């Protein structure tokens, strides 16, 4: 059985202050439901600059920033990261409460802060652990399965450096839209990576995390047809949950 991560108090509009090992002040602000629209605009500007091939996601980012963005079983988060008062990155993710797994859609860190460490961890590793802690918080501090994210082959080694594991499944995402557009729409092949929660032997939950993570992306987010052969193989028993 998984053990729950210790969840920090990360409110929807409340910062999570943290000191980097060099003394820099790191603040995460969830721009969803935040009264300061400038923070949401800053995050969207960053997204459009970092991911010009994913401009189709911008309207969804704006829609998600509304106070009613989340469904009952999916808690959406859009964190703007500031270092010493200056915007320095962002991450967009969902806590899938039904499947007890977090899925990361986008993450970007400025080169100048990417080398920071928090508790001797790389900033990206600390950020991903904060996401798992937020997932545990959203799930009422129940046991969770960790975090999954997508990566193209050249980026896989970077994520392995922070402890992520390639789940080794056939995997595709829509290439030109935030949702699957039906049979014949163009797909982009990639890898599904997993960061286990701490305090658990990963092998004991890897199979469950693989199916839950694949289902959270493919069925719940992208809305692929569950009868597609490679989708059915990826999601396994989660297909009927």
């Amino acid at each position: 059985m998984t053990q729950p991560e210790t969840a920090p108090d990360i409110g929807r509009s409340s910062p999570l202050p943290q000191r980097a090992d060099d003394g820099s002040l790191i603040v995460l602000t969830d721009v969803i439901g935040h009264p300061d629209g400038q923070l949401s605009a800053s995050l969207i500007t960053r997204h459009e600059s970092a991911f010009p091939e994913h401009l189709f996601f911008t309207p969804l980012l704006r829609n998600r920033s509304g106070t009613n963005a989340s469904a009952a079983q999916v808690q959406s988060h859009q964190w703007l990261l500031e270092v010493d008062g200056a915007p320095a990155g962002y991450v967009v993710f969902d806590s899938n409460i039904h499947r007890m797994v977090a899925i990361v859609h986008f993450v970007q860190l400025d080169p100048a802060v990417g080398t920071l460490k928090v508790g001797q961890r790389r900033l990206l590793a600390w950020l991903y652990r904060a996401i798992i802690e937020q997932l545990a918080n959203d799930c009422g501090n129940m046991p969770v399965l960790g975090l999954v994210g997508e990566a193209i082959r050249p980026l896989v080694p970077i994520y392995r450096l922070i402890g992520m594991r390639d789940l080794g499944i056939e995997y595709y995402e829509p290439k030109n839209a935030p949702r699957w557009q039906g049979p014949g729409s163009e797909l982009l092949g990639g890898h599904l990576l997993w960061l286990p929660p701490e305090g658990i032997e990963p092998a004991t939950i890897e199979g469950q995390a693989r199916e839950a993570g694949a289902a959270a992306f493919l069925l719940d987010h992208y809305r692929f047809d569950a009868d597609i052969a490679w989708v059915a193989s990826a999601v396994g028993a989660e297909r009927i949950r």
Side-chain angles (χ1 to χ4, degrees), residues 36-57:
D36 185 353
Q38 291 183 351
L39 295 178
S40 181
S42 177
L43 186 148
I44 290 172
T45 297
R46 285 184 161 272
H47 170 76
E48 293 179 336
S49 176
F51 297 97
E53 72 280 14
H54 286 90
L55 296 182
F56 56 77
F57 208 89

Side-chain angles (χ1 to χ4, degrees), residues 148-200:
V148 292
E150 305 163 313
I152 57 175
R153 181 179 293 276
L155 297 181
V156 170
I158 295 175
Y159 290 104
R160 282 182 174 153
L161 287 175
I162 65 168
M164 298 193 78
R165 298 163 175 246
D166 193 333
L167 290 172
I169 62 174
E170 183 178 5
Y171 186 85
Y172 305 92
E173 62 178 289
K175 185 175 182 179
N176 299 308
R179 309 290 189 198
W180 182 55
Q181 301 299 295
S185 55
E186 194 170 359
L187 304 179
L188 178 66
H191 296 253
L192 190 65
L193 308 178
W194 172 53
L195 184 64
E198 294 186 305
I200 185 72

Side-chain angles (χ1 to χ4, degrees), residues 220-238:
D220 302 338
H221 179 66
Y222 291 133
R223 301 173 187 168
F224 278 99
D225 186 339
D227 292 329
I228 299 172
W230 66 267
V231 174
S233 176
V235 305
E238 289 287 319

